[in-house]
Amino acid sequence: TLDLLEAQIMDVDQTLQDHHVFSRYGRHLIPTCVGSVVEDAVKVFMGTGHPDIVPRISAGLGDVPDVQAHPVILKQVIGNLIVNACEAIAMSATGRGEIAIGAESVTADGIRWVRISVRDGGIGIASDALQHLFERGYSTKRASSGGIGLHWCANVISAMDGNLRADSAGLGRGATFTVTLRAA
């Protein structure tokens, strides 16, 4: 629809502006509401032509604390994970399914963290590929989609003092990507 296209164009414009500021002046991290970022990412990135794929946002998403992040860049990362999940489900035997998006608060070494997970029931990831997923130029896809890539995602999450992890029980068994960021 026209409204979705307008939202996507505005998102791209804001992203370009923010990337310029982020790269030129360093990190500018602010308290960021995880629920709002996820909802915005779902609205923008689920309009990519996958009607048989349903996003399921955990009801507890609003219960986690804000994170220290750059909101537009975090939305791009979550959006990329959603698009990748859509592609993995589309390539599965049924071509339909759910993307479960959730978050939890954890404490490690006296520091409070928030883990945001994006889980799909798609084609999964071979164990030998898991160790290379975040390397520059690496892709499990036959044809490059021209997306922003997991390498970039991992780097910007690291620049926000967090990390990005991938887990899969193997081919045909789906995958879960987890973004961990410091609570605000």
Side-chain angles (χ1 to χ4, degrees), residues 2-169:
L2 196 53
D3 289 338
L4 178 61
L5 184 58
E6 181 181 3
Q8 289 174 331
I9 290 170
M10 289 173 52
D11 186 60
V12 168
D13 183 54
Q14 184 64 51
T15 299
L16 291 173
Q17 290 176 30
D18 288 348
H19 282 288
H20 176 73
V21 170
F22 192 69
S23 65
R24 193 164 224 213
Y25 302 110
R27 296 181 298 172
H28 180 68
L29 307 179
I30 60 173
T32 301
C33 176
V34 172
S36 294
V37 167
V38 168
E39 287 175 11
D40 287 349
V42 167
K43 283 179 200 167
V44 172
F45 293 96
M46 282 305 297
T48 57
H50 297 285
D52 293 332
I53 300 172
V54 179
R56 297 280 186 229
I57 300 173
S58 168
L61 209 60
D63 297 335
V64 297
D66 289 355
V67 294
Q68 282 298 113
H70 188 289
V72 172
I73 292 175
L74 181 57
K75 181 171 71 171
Q76 287 295 308
V77 170
I78 300 299
N80 188 64
L81 298 178
I82 290 169
V83 168
N84 286 352
C86 285
E87 291 172 354
I89 292 170
M91 294 181 346
S92 70
T94 65
R96 72 180 112 207
E98 289 184 1
I99 300 171
I101 306 166
E104 66 177 341
S105 176
V106 296
T107 302
D109 298 325
I111 300 171
R112 194 166 181 196
W113 300 90
V114 174
R115 291 186 187 142
I116 307 163
S117 62
V118 178
R119 182 174 41 86
D120 69 70
I123 60 170
I125 304 166
S127 60
D128 60 329
L130 278 172
Q131 63 188 343
H132 300 291
L133 278 182
F134 302 112
E135 292 175 5
R136 183 174 180 215
Y138 184 83
S139 178
T140 59
K141 299 172 187 169
R142 286 184 212 124
S144 176
S145 64
I148 59 175
L150 292 173
H151 174 73
W152 178 85
C153 290
N155 283 341
V156 297
I157 293 298
S158 178
M160 290 189 267
D161 295 326
N163 74 24
L164 175 59
R165 186 182 84 229
D167 296 293
S168 177

